[in-house]
Amino acid sequence: MTLRGILGVAVVGAGRMGADHVRRLDRATSGARVAAVADVDRERAERAADGVEDCAVHSEPLAVLDDPAVGAVLVASPGPAHEEVLTAALERGLPVLCEKPLTPDPESALRVVRAEAALGRRLVQVGFMRRYDAGFRKLKSLVDSGVQGRPLMLHFRHRNVSSPPGFTGPMTIRDSAVHEFDTVRWLLGQEITAVTVVRPAASSGAPEGLGDPQLLLLETSRGAVADVELFLNCGFGYQVTCEVVSERGTARTGDETGPVVEGPGARCREIPPDYLVRFADAYDLQVQRWVDAARRGTVEGPDCWDGYAAAAVCEAGVRARETGARVAVETEAPPDLYR
Ligand code: ISE
């Protein structure tokens, strides 16, 4: 619960992202503290909680939800483990920040949507952190202002140094491209209606069989088109850029993220190594806003419906990737809570 107004947060999943959130909540967030860390690998949970005052450690993720010191939950475990924790948190009326994807497939995402809708109030925010990045927020204000007219096309580049061990073809869509799917919906206020995936010859730097890089083509409900270069083993740095091409101008973000470095005969800009560095400010803002809202008894930001809609696009994306065909996105109608 909240102790003297301080929100006790349970972090479920203490991998790379979870451990980073533990550090963020402990050192860079006001109004919150880490009350518990849970991971099926207890040693990993202990490592993440090391040095955090009064922090319980559990190896059973659901056990933390009944800890009286816990007033909110940050879910950072792998996607397939999300539904169980989300359902349990909803049953207990706990606010949740759930790392993307909400769940890996639309069927399970819809079950979460329905469970929250049945409560008649929002408790879950989905961790689509690009919505908190300063550059992306400027693009959004520009699009909303209408100064450049209607947005017609979006160009994305999404490059990682290397894909994590065990990453599969479907994960390239569900864990990586899912960010662009949410960004398109959020920036344009339009639904994605169809996905096509074009696959060039695979890079020799990518794991055998992953089929990396890929080019995704997304069509939207009011006629815009987005292309996404997804290259998860580019080998040299972490790059996420987005350019909006509108009727009377363009706007682009993401090129100038690292510091400018000057030396003998050269001037260059450093490229961040990974998303924890590239989006550090966005993660900080996202978590701070979530904590502030939870302390007020509200939830803001991307909701379960956004998580479901992105999962539906992922489903089409995975099929498009496997078949080479243009695949239409199928979704249910949103419950009243999300209209
Ligand atoms: C990772 O899980 C993320 O969320 C990153 O933003 C993305 O760039 C990366 O490809 C994913 O694996």
Side-chain angles (χ1 to χ4, degrees):
M1 282 296 128
T2 51
L3 186 63
R4 277 177 246 105
I6 301 297
L7 185 71
V9 179
V11 177
V12 174
R16 208 153 168 251
M17 195 69 247
D20 195 55
H21 281 314
V22 169
R23 182 206 51 76
R24 169 171 298 105
L25 283 159
D26 190 44
R27 309 208 196 127
T29 310
S30 64
R33 69 177 200 90
V34 185
V37 178
D39 195 293
V40 285
D41 177 346
R42 192 184 166 89
E43 279 175 23
R44 195 157 59 174
E46 275 165 7
R47 275 198 302 279
D50 190 32
V52 181
E53 237 177 89
D54 293 330
C55 177
V57 171
H58 296 261
S59 55
E60 166 44 57
L62 295 191
V64 286
L65 305 188
D66 293 318
D67 185 329
V70 169
V73 189
L74 196 160
V75 182
S77 46
H82 289 184
E83 182 182 2
E84 191 184 22
V85 184
L86 288 166
T87 309
L90 287 171
E91 281 166 3
R92 289 160 178 78
L94 292 168
V96 182
L97 174 58
C98 180
E99 269 301 331
K100 49 58 41 181
L102 177 67
T103 67
D105 58 84
E107 293 75 25
S108 52
L110 197 58
R111 287 195 290 273
V112 176
V113 160
R114 290 191 173 136
E116 191 184 51
L119 292 176
R121 66 185 175 119
R122 281 195 56 195
L123 280 173
V124 179
Q125 170 172 346
V126 184
F128 287 126
M129 81 300 188
R130 290 187 189 175
R131 296 191 187 200
Y132 294 87
D133 172 76
F136 276 95
R137 289 169 86 83
K138 280 193 182 140
L139 287 189
K140 170 79 176 146
S141 315
L142 188 71
V143 168
D144 287 351
S145 75
V147 167
Q148 295 193 340
R150 262 186 321 130
L152 306 173
M153 289 183 287
L154 303 178
H155 304 300
F156 291 94
R157 280 186 301 169
H158 184 165
R159 297 180 183 150
N160 294 182
V161 176
S162 59
S163 51
F167 222 57
T168 62
M171 287 167 87
T172 64
I173 305 293
R174 294 187 178 123
D175 288 79
S176 301
V178 67
H179 283 294
E180 277 75 23
F181 300 162
D182 180 66
T183 305
V184 168
R185 295 183 64 252
W186 169 70
L187 267 182
L188 302 183
Q190 299 179 35
E191 294 301 336
I192 297 170
T193 52
V195 185
T196 308
V197 179
V198 181
R199 296 167 66 181
S203 165
S204 58
E208 185 75 29
L210 188 66
D212 182 47
Q214 308 168 69
L215 190 67
L216 279 59
L217 203 63
L218 313 175
E219 297 166 52
T220 75
S221 46
R222 291 204 297 280
V225 168
D227 60 83
V228 182
E229 176 204 307
L230 191 63
F231 191 5
L232 302 180
N233 293 274
C234 79
F236 61 84
Y238 187 88
Q239 290 183 314
V240 167
T241 65
C242 172
E243 183 176 28
V244 185
V245 180
S246 301
E247 291 168 304
R248 292 186 297 279
T250 70
R252 176 179 167 111
T253 188
D255 292 300
E256 308 197 337
T257 47
V260 174
V261 179
E262 291 176 342
R267 181 174 200 274
C268 62
R269 195 177 272 277
E270 275 186 7
I271 305 174
D274 61 25
Y275 49 92
L276 296 184
V277 176
R278 162 71 171 88
F279 286 112
D281 292 348
Y283 284 119
D284 286 354
L285 182 63
Q286 169 189 250
V287 170
Q288 187 63 64
R289 290 273 177 92
W290 172 67
V291 165
D292 293 346
R295 291 175 77 206
R296 288 195 305 269
T298 60
V299 181
E300 294 163 3
D303 61 24
C304 277
W305 186 257
D306 294 315
Y308 163 72
V313 182
C314 288
E315 190 70 8
V318 169
R319 268 204 290 139
R321 178 180 194 283
E322 280 161 4
T323 60
R326 170 185 179 276
V327 178
V329 177
E330 288 166 20
T331 45
E332 303 280 326
D336 286 346
L337 183 62
Y338 310 102
R339 277 180 213 274

